[in-house]
Amino acid sequence: MKIDMSHGSGGKQTSNLINDIFLKNFDNEILNKLEDAAVLDDIKGKIAYTTDSFVVTPLFFNGGNIGSIAVCGTVNDLSMMGAIPKYLTAGFIIEEGADIETIDEIARTMGLIAKEANVKIVAGDTKVIEGKGGIYINTSGIGEIAQNGVSISNCQKGDVIILSGNLGDHHAAIMSKRMEIENNIMSDCAPLTSIVNNLIENNINIHCMRDITRGGLATVLNEVASNSLCGVEIYEELLPISNEVRGFCNILGLDPLYMANEGKMIAVVPQNKADIALEAVRKSKYGKNAQIIGKIVNGKSVNMITALKGNRIIDILYGEGLPRIC
Amino acid sequence: MITLQQVKDELKSYNGRKIKIMEVCGTHTSSIFKNGIRSLISPQIQLISGPGCPVCVTSSAYIDKLVEHSLKENCCVLTFGDMMKVKGNKLSLTEAKATGGNVRILYSPLSSIKIAMENSNTQFVFAAVGFETTTPIYSLLIEEIIKNKIKNLKILTSLKTIIPALSFICDNEENIDAFLCPGHVSVITGSSVYNDLAKKYNKPFVVGGFEGEHILAAIFEIVRQISNNEHCMKNMYVNAVSNEGNKKAIEITRKYFCSTDDYWRGIGVIKNSALKLRPEYIEYDAGSDFAESVENNPKGCRCTDVILGRINPVECPLFGKTCTPLNAIGPCMVSTEGACGIWYKNVGGNK
Amino acid sequence: MCVAVPGKIIEINGDMAKVDIMNNICEVNIKLVSAKIGDYVLIHAGCVLEVLKKDMAEEILSIFSELEEI
């Protein structure tokens, strides 16, 4: 069955959509009240608060769909501040012509991941507009700060940088579908809550965390350098990249340093906690390929020691990372 | 037998006379940065980039034609990703797309056959840009178009040949001591094409591959030749490059294309430096034009000097100041794979 | 100016072949070469440009044997 303008009119069709799709998949006692706003339990301490919008195409890809990213993206942004994610909202803008079954599947995925991340989707909205079946999602989220002081400006000379796993998987999964290249690369879309919880539980004094999304690791490391007023040194041989993603990048002339992930992060921690922190990340769900990839140094730029032991300055991404032949 | 470590040690400690090596392939420029090659060799060995970015040396008039096609009703431009951000006199293809133009990025020109057949009401134009490496693929495309009697797919060509450009540079530039020859162009042309150049200009012409090890080996060979007063062609990429090249590719290119003079953005007209469809196949051409267009470099822009290897990008007064990847003034910065674009990405502007 | 990548031919169907590039499978045109299953080839923009003499990883190991002392 297709969505049409009546599903956005606020009448019976809208109510059916909300009940049959969103309440069914998001099911929690706050949302089920269907009030004009969600009333939340007391939150202890400081609140972290964020929002993000999701417009990816194709809607479905190897390893996930737009719904997976919509939940993971916001959950991870909260986690990166040392917060425990608690509540999400989800707003949908749906173009007429979209399949109800598609929306159901997207909502089902969102419900499952929210459950895994221990968050409740407590408020939402749906609008229907003219178009050709596109679906766009906004999520916002609230979390409780569990560790203070985690900040992009807080990195200190001598700190080590832990990367939680393989680079480039999400970007490669999406592009593989678009460019009709067959492989088993799956999007790594995942909530990072388990990694962050393990770090906190092991009393790691985390200076900074950042998830690696658009612009890739290179962009994140440059943000560290410019906000913490430091240099960054990483080692090419230590970067975890799967063979398949390497091959894929070679075909299209892409660079894994600039490719998006949806379930990877860096944690910048003091040198004396490096080993415990690495162990904690490796023991977590989604962290088994974690590596220490470098450290914070004096200076202003991001420098990589290449496999041949040369120096390469890594700048931020300019423009869109398009496939090349030249 | 010489080892990688010996090569690195020798190149790092070289303190003979200054050697200026031109590499003429955007992929070599990229690979040199990716591997940090400059940090591994003596400052007496200078690597400079040449006109090896086909996108950068393509005229703005060509981009304007593509943009025009993309904005026509029932028309669609098919292109490699490289072409999207390059500005013509007004717009780039990315900007045209944002204003409603129909543009699609493909990995292979041959994919356009299926697309044209499935969309018979749309007129498709493939942006056929490249050097000798890519031209045989366009020949295959023309062959498929003819075989399948496809009426709604044509090509707009900007097919440059790098070998005449090398002669031009040697004729006009005094200070280049040696050339790192483009590895994949040489797969098609064969390494023998450099023999006459090496003899005529008394310079080493060394064919190199694209891994860091390949590039170091090629530089080592150049330094060896110069230190021994030798100047010859040497193929350091024998795995892929033969003396005579790919005969099938050369033949099929000759079947559909012939040589013509052409304008290189930033340089000017170079004789016999491009390929155009032969008159008997002109119906597959979407209006490619080889008229000499006068393009003045914007004030202060030193792209010509960069393309000809006279200066490195950082020596241009506009580099990193008024000319950046987000606000590109000259052709070398216009494509992120041009010399200035690559330098900017890797040395961080003038920070 | 020529991003090309090595791969191994795993299947041939007339002028087309399937190549394995580090577990990525692509369909490529092989009209410009004479190739057989098992060959290592160089691929550019959906086309095989040449049959390689060796696997690229093996070749890099031997490249320095081409050099003479300075």
Side-chain angles (χ1 to χ4, degrees):
Chain A
M1 191 171 110
K2 300 273 186 201
I3 293 279
D4 60 48
M5 298 303 286
S6 67
H7 289 98
S9 65
K12 186 74 176 135
Q13 279 94 336
T14 308
S15 161
N16 284 345
L17 187 64
I18 292 174
N19 281 305
D20 299 343
I21 307 282
F22 299 121
L23 287 196
K24 178 187 82 175
N25 286 300
F26 299 161
D27 187 34
N28 59 76
E29 72 286 0
I30 303 175
L31 182 66
N32 292 347
K33 289 188 179 138
L34 284 182
E35 305 276 17
D36 273 353
V39 176
L40 310 175
D41 291 330
D42 281 341
I43 297 207
K44 306 171 238 334
K46 289 196 173 161
I47 298 172
Y49 186 22
T50 191
T51 186
D52 214 337
S53 300
F54 302 90
V55 300
V56 70
T57 53
L59 294 172
F60 288 80
F61 40 83
N62 222 0
N65 60 54
I66 188 174
S68 341
I69 318 182
V71 172
C72 290
T74 294
V75 158
N76 290 343
D77 279 347
L78 292 170
S79 296
M80 294 302 99
M81 296 310 298
I84 299 175
K86 305 285 278 187
Y87 304 108
L88 253 49
T89 67
F92 293 82
I93 298 180
I94 305 171
E95 290 180 4
E96 51 176 2
D99 281 313
I100 290 211
E101 292 75 24
T102 301
I103 301 171
D104 191 16
E105 181 54 29
I106 289 171
R108 191 185 77 89
T109 310
M110 291 173 76
L112 286 172
I113 297 182
K115 205 165 173 188
E116 181 186 343
N118 220 9
V119 296
K120 293 178 181 165
I121 302 174
V122 295
D125 180 60
T126 317
K127 293 287 182 301
V128 179
I129 59 173
E130 285 176 7
K132 293 185 186 157
I135 299 175
Y136 314 100
I137 307 176
N138 168 278
T139 51
S140 73
I142 284 180
E144 261 173 13
I145 295 285
Q147 186 170 117
N148 281 304
V150 180
S151 163
I152 193 81
S153 311
N154 198 17
C155 301
Q156 286 152 44
K157 186 184 157 204
D159 284 351
V160 304
I161 304 168
I162 299 174
L163 171 59
S164 66
N166 292 0
L167 290 174
D169 293 30
H170 175 75
H171 194 134
I174 302 267
M175 290 234 66
S176 295
K177 198 153 175 189
R178 282 196 207 150
M179 306 301 282
E180 291 173 7
I181 295 175
E182 250 180 75
N183 52 44
N184 293 320
I185 300 173
M186 305 230 310
S187 166
D188 60 348
C189 186
L192 296 167
T193 41
S194 150
I195 292 177
V196 175
N197 285 344
N198 280 345
L199 283 170
I200 294 176
E201 273 170 23
N202 276 275
N203 296 315
I204 309 293
N205 177 15
I206 310 164
H207 288 165
C208 164
M209 290 186 286
R210 212 43 161 204
D211 63 340
I212 297 166
T213 52
R214 283 179 308 174
L217 176 67
T219 302
V220 164
L221 293 177
N222 273 279
E223 286 169 358
V224 164
S226 58
N227 285 286
S228 289
L229 302 177
C230 63
V232 173
E233 187 172 272
I234 60 171
Y235 301 88
E236 183 173 20
E237 282 183 317
L238 298 178
L239 296 177
I241 303 169
S242 76
N243 257 352
E244 258 181 311
V245 168
R246 260 188 229 279
F248 178 82
C249 290
N250 289 343
I251 298 170
L252 294 184
L254 297 172
D255 187 343
L257 281 173
Y258 292 95
M259 287 166 65
N261 282 81
E262 285 292 339
K264 299 290 176 340
M265 58 177 276
I266 58 161
V268 182
V269 305
Q271 230 266 316
N272 60 359
K273 295 283 191 177
D275 292 335
I276 314 174
L278 181 64
E279 195 53 33
V281 177
R282 281 184 173 164
K283 278 209 185 103
S284 316
K285 198 171 183 194
Y286 309 119
K288 69 178 194 309
N289 284 348
Q291 293 287 347
I292 294 176
I293 59 163
K295 55 191 184 206
I296 304 294
V297 296
N298 278 330
K300 284 191 204 168
S301 56
V302 179
N303 190 42
M304 183 166 82
I305 310 297
T306 66
L308 281 177
K309 311 280 182 282
N311 281 318
R312 176 186 164 192
I313 295 187
I314 310 286
D315 206 348
I316 61 174
L317 178 67
Y318 289 96
E320 211 186 320
L322 297 168
R324 306 162 31 218
I325 60 138
C326 295
Chain B
M1 200 187 87
I2 296 181
T3 61
L4 170 61
Q5 193 55 52
Q6 266 176 284
V7 165
K8 284 165 83 174
D9 291 339
E10 291 265 15
L11 291 178
K12 189 74 181 165
S13 62
Y14 172 79
N15 69 349
R17 72 160 175 100
K18 243 190 161 73
I19 300 176
K20 206 167 172 187
I21 303 173
M22 175 178 267
E23 38 92 1
V24 289
C25 174
T27 313
H28 268 148
T29 314
S30 239
S31 186
I32 285 167
F33 274 115
K34 274 205 166 118
N35 288 282
I37 299 288
R38 278 188 183 82
S39 65
L40 293 170
I41 61 180
S42 156
Q44 291 294 97
I45 306 169
Q46 203 191 352
L47 301 175
I48 52 174
S49 311
C53 166
V55 166
C56 306
V57 295
T58 290
S59 70
S60 4
Y62 177 86
I63 310 287
D64 292 341
K65 278 219 175 96
L66 281 181
V67 165
E68 201 187 309
H69 277 295
S70 77
L71 292 168
K72 274 190 213 156
E73 204 161 325
N74 296 322
C75 262
C76 176
V77 165
L78 305 170
T79 178
F80 294 123
D82 311 65
M83 294 302 294
M84 290 297 292
K85 290 172 270 191
V86 186
K87 249 182 147 77
N89 285 309
K90 294 183 205 112
L91 297 176
S92 67
L93 283 174
T94 301
E95 286 164 341
K97 195 162 180 242
T99 58
N102 201 354
V103 184
R104 227 177 117 164
I105 296 177
L106 297 184
Y107 163 61
S108 173
L110 299 171
S111 311
S112 28
I113 298 290
K114 186 163 168 244
I115 294 172
M117 285 167 75
E118 287 172 355
N119 296 278
S120 49
N121 291 326
T122 307
Q123 287 298 315
F124 291 94
V125 173
F126 195 95
V129 175
F131 283 114
E132 289 94 324
T133 320
T134 322
T135 309
I137 304 178
Y138 299 121
S139 310
L140 288 177
L141 179 62
I142 299 292
E143 211 153 74
E144 286 297 304
I145 291 174
I146 296 172
K147 185 171 110 184
N148 290 290
K149 299 190 171 51
I150 293 174
K151 300 294 174 203
N152 60 332
L153 172 60
K154 296 187 187 198
I155 62 174
L156 192 74
T157 66
S158 175
L159 297 169
K160 307 269 196 278
T161 44
I162 195 70
I163 310 295
L166 288 175
S167 285
F168 180 91
I169 289 171
C170 287
D171 283 332
N172 290 282
E173 299 305 312
E174 301 264 300
N175 296 325
I176 299 167
D177 298 305
F179 288 86
L180 173 56
C181 303
H184 293 140
V185 162
S186 307
V187 168
I188 302 296
T189 62
S191 53
S192 57
V193 299
Y194 306 107
N195 286 329
D196 289 344
L197 288 169
K199 258 200 209 106
K200 181 174 177 190
Y201 297 107
N202 285 332
K203 298 179 204 282
F205 279 75
V206 175
V207 180
F210 297 92
E211 299 300 316
E213 290 91 338
H214 284 132
I215 294 174
L216 285 174
I219 295 172
F220 184 91
E221 169 59 18
I222 288 172
V223 171
R224 187 200 68 76
Q225 284 196 31
I226 289 181
S227 303
N228 289 304
N229 217 8
E230 289 172 31
H231 12 76
C232 58
M233 183 287 291
K234 173 83 176 174
N235 181 2
M236 295 296 306
Y237 192 24
V238 288
N239 197 18
V241 176
S242 64
N243 219 26
E244 326 72 38
N246 182 329
K247 291 207 175 100
K248 278 193 190 180
I250 295 172
E251 261 165 45
I252 198 176
T253 303
R254 273 203 196 119
K255 182 175 175 186
Y256 295 104
F257 295 94
C258 57
S259 172
T260 182
D261 299 345
D262 199 15
Y263 174 84
W264 292 53
R265 190 172 179 177
I267 299 178
V269 174
I270 302 180
K271 287 195 110 36
N272 290 319
S273 64
L275 294 172
K276 62 179 180 182
L277 276 167
R278 289 187 179 277
E280 57 269 39
Y281 299 109
I282 208 69
E283 69 191 273
Y284 305 106
D285 185 285
S288 311
D289 183 359
F290 303 92
E292 191 178 316
S293 35
V294 178
E295 289 194 35
N296 296 316
N297 271 347
K299 189 163 175 224
C301 169
R302 295 194 65 191
C303 271
T304 305
D305 292 326
V306 170
I307 288 172
L308 292 176
R310 292 171 190 149
I311 62 168
N312 274 328
V314 288
E315 297 168 61
C316 171
L318 305 183
F319 179 85
K321 302 186 179 79
T322 46
C323 187
T324 64
L326 294 178
N327 180 35
I329 294 181
C332 301
M333 186 69 86
V334 147
S335 161
T336 50
E337 303 311 326
C340 296
I342 293 175
W343 274 77
Y344 193 94
K345 204 160 67 174
N346 289 278
V347 306
N350 258 335
K351 295 187 215 143
Chain C
M1 61 233 126
C2 308
V3 172
V5 63
K8 189 172 174 185
I9 296 193
I10 56 174
E11 200 180 295
I12 294 183
N13 289 306
D15 285 338
M16 301 296 290
K18 282 203 164 141
V19 287
D20 180 338
I21 302 160
M22 292 162 92
N23 289 326
N24 291 271
I25 312 293
C26 290
E27 274 226 57
V28 297
N29 186 300
I30 53 169
K31 217 165 160 184
L32 297 175
V33 295
S34 308
K36 54 189 189 306
I37 292 182
D39 277 347
Y40 288 101
V41 292
L42 192 65
I43 301 140
H44 169 68
C47 232
V48 169
L49 296 186
E50 194 51 273
V51 177
L52 298 172
K53 296 180 183 67
K54 296 180 193 167
D55 168 42
M56 203 62 99
E58 205 189 309
E59 186 243 7
I60 287 174
L61 292 174
S62 65
I63 196 151
F64 300 103
S65 62
E66 297 283 319
L67 295 171
E68 300 163 44
E69 304 267 356
I70 289 188

